[in-house]
Amino acid sequence: MTLASPSDFQAPQQSSPDQGGPRGLQPEGWLRYLSFSLDHKVIGLQYMVCGFLFYFLGGALAGVIRTELASPISDFVSRETYNEVLTLHGTVMIFLWIVPVVNGAFGNYLIPFYVGARDMAFPRLNAVAFWLIPPAGILLISSYFIKGGAAQSGWTAYPPLSLTTPSLGQVIWIISVLLLGGSSIFGGINFIATILKLRRPGLKMMQLPMYCWAMLGTSILVVLSTPVLAGTLILLSFDIIAHTGFFNPALGGNVVVYQHLFWFYSHPAVYIMVLPAFGLVSEIIPIHARKPLFGYTTMVYSIIAIVVLGLVVWAHHMFTSGTPPWMRLFFTIATSFIAVPTGIKFFNWLATLWQGKIALNSAMLFACAFIVNFVFGGITGVALAQVPFDIHVHDTYFVVGHFHYIVYGGTVFIIFSSVYHWYPKFTGRMLDERLGRLHFLLTFIGFNLCFAPQHWLGLNGMPRRVAEYDPSFTTLNQVSSVGALLMAVSTLPFLINVVVSAFRGEVAGDNPWKALTPEWLTSSPPPVENWIGEAPLVTHPYGYGAPADRLDLQMVTAEQIWNDPKP
């Protein structure tokens, strides 16, 4: 087998007509990131930067919430403002930060590499999907400044509350979420087509990196469930604007029907956020543990099981909504079953780590912290699937704590891990490990200080979504607010690291981790079309420790990939 270098697979410095015409017609340098670019790598970084901007905004809104809750009386912002901030925080963090980054940013950047394609299946649709996000976000935030104020009904927009809060702000909220839903659908169609139809000849489905399977399952959920949310919000807007009676109980509407339709999307939305994170951590751990991913086949089937079961568990959010006993029993069993494929993944990640030559760099620290956080969130999730317990803690801070351990502990930690892992690919430079470890330490301590006490608050009856509470809850709320402050402070070393390293960071080389996955088998950062000539065929993306002659690869980077115990 002939050894080749990454330069053998570099792409030409011009794009084909299918990619938007001659390269000379496209903006150069940093201006391309502000343009309607058709390059999947540029679009991926556009998603990422835009997502981080909204993350900082959503974090500032969370700071307002935790500052208000540091005392038991409403003394920082008015009750109406608190409800607006609460609504905007949840909407921004879910629809403008986590979903666009774990799906759009990393999906766009990595999937074409993983399938051996030059770009996504529909490059123009890909660009449209991104450029729906900034106006949707600006529209959402602008509602705070209009007469009457922003929506105050929370990110769930339950009627009749959403029918009685400021109507213009609520309608703007609906339009914004519809635009973001359209972006998700366009992206989901594109990912499905790219993974199924643009694979390099000879590359089989069961040879794809795990992130491809995660994004395929996620995209199926997006395409099946997001239109249901869109239709539901359109009907809600009719109730607000035209005074129809779809969900208005005063006009014969049924609010429980809204909950069924909303959660048919919004529980799969948890997996739309978490499944890509599962895929990303499955790429990161084998590289930094220098071991093959344990149980590849079971990992694939567990993703399929999560997709199927994720569509039939929505009503566990509605155990207190008058659901009949038979329905409670069905959704309790279905929710308990979904813990099985999730547990399989965690055992496989632990088996991958076991006796590995682990490099405890920033990427690996965040990945291991994700395992700890998500296991705790999963345990509380199984508890919430049991009807008697759920009725006791429903709409309390126990649910808030559980939700954030799943969504922040299960996705944001992996977003940070992925940034530390793929930053050399994006920029050609390494991030500073000292600042990375400081960022991890502050984030991990702050996260657990903020959200662990909320479980105890919920068990003792503190309701969520209120600005005033019983004074006996003050101490734990103050601890939670201190944790939120630490999380806010943790962004400073991260920002300094990202900005300074882009100009002064250590030059990374083409493959600093000595990885086998295809994105590392070209230059860092990659050229326009990824490779010159035929794309590399990677049939063993996790073949660490295997002799070179046993790896059915058309390319390798250097012999030391197999010989060196760790990067």
Side-chain angles (χ1 to χ4, degrees), residues 47-63 89 92-98 100-101 366 408 411-413 415-416 439 443 447 484 486-492 494-495:
Y47 268 105
M48 186 170 298
V49 173
C50 182
F52 267 99
L53 291 175
F54 283 115
Y55 168 64
F56 299 139
L57 175 62
L61 295 171
H89 164 72
V92 167
M93 289 304 215
I94 292 172
F95 295 108
L96 289 165
W97 156 237
I98 296 177
V101 173
F366 274 101
Y408 197 105
T411 59
V412 178
F413 271 75
I415 289 174
F416 286 131
H439 174 216
T443 304
F447 170 77
L486 280 178
M487 292 169 68
V489 172
S490 73
T491 61
L492 296 178
F494 174 74
L495 283 174

Side-chain angles (χ1 to χ4, degrees), residues 79-114:
R79 295 172 181 175
E80 291 76 15
T81 301
Y82 181 85
N83 290 337
E84 291 173 346
V85 169
L86 192 71
T87 301
L88 291 177
H89 164 72
T91 308
V92 167
M93 289 304 215
I94 292 172
F95 295 108
L96 289 165
W97 156 237
I98 296 177
V99 171
V101 173
V102 294
N103 289 271
F106 291 104
N108 272 288
Y109 202 98
L110 297 175
I111 292 299
F113 282 111
Y114 285 169

Side-chain angles (χ1 to χ4, degrees), residues 30 423 427-431 495-507:
W30 63 270
Y423 188 87
T427 66
R429 294 184 181 271
M430 302 293 289
L431 286 168
L495 283 174
I496 293 170
N497 202 355
V498 168
V499 174
V500 173
S501 296
F503 300 97
R504 301 180 184 177
E506 176 189 350
V507 176

Side-chain angles (χ1 to χ4, degrees), residues 176-240:
S176 176
V177 173
L178 288 175
L179 289 173
L180 295 168
S183 171
S184 292
I185 293 171
F186 294 159
I189 293 170
N190 219 346
F191 286 126
I192 292 172
T194 302
I195 294 169
L196 295 183
K197 295 298 183 181
L198 291 192
R199 292 195 317 282
R200 184 197 185 284
L203 182 61
K204 300 176 183 178
M205 288 293 293
M206 294 302 287
Q207 296 170 338
L208 291 173
M210 193 55 59
Y211 185 60
C212 290
W213 282 101
M215 283 304 300
L216 181 61
T218 299
S219 300
I220 291 171
L221 286 176
V222 167
V223 172
L224 291 178
S225 63
T226 308
V228 176
L229 175 68
T232 304
L233 294 182
I234 290 172
L235 296 180
L236 180 64
S237 69
F238 289 167
D239 280 4
I240 296 171

Side-chain angles (χ1 to χ4, degrees), residues 288-312:
H288 297 286
R290 308 313 294 171
K291 280 187 62 183
L293 181 66
F294 184 88
Y296 177 96
T297 303
T298 59
M299 294 280 271
V300 170
Y301 286 119
S302 67
I303 287 175
I304 297 172
I306 289 173
V307 170
V308 174
L309 291 172
L311 290 169
V312 294

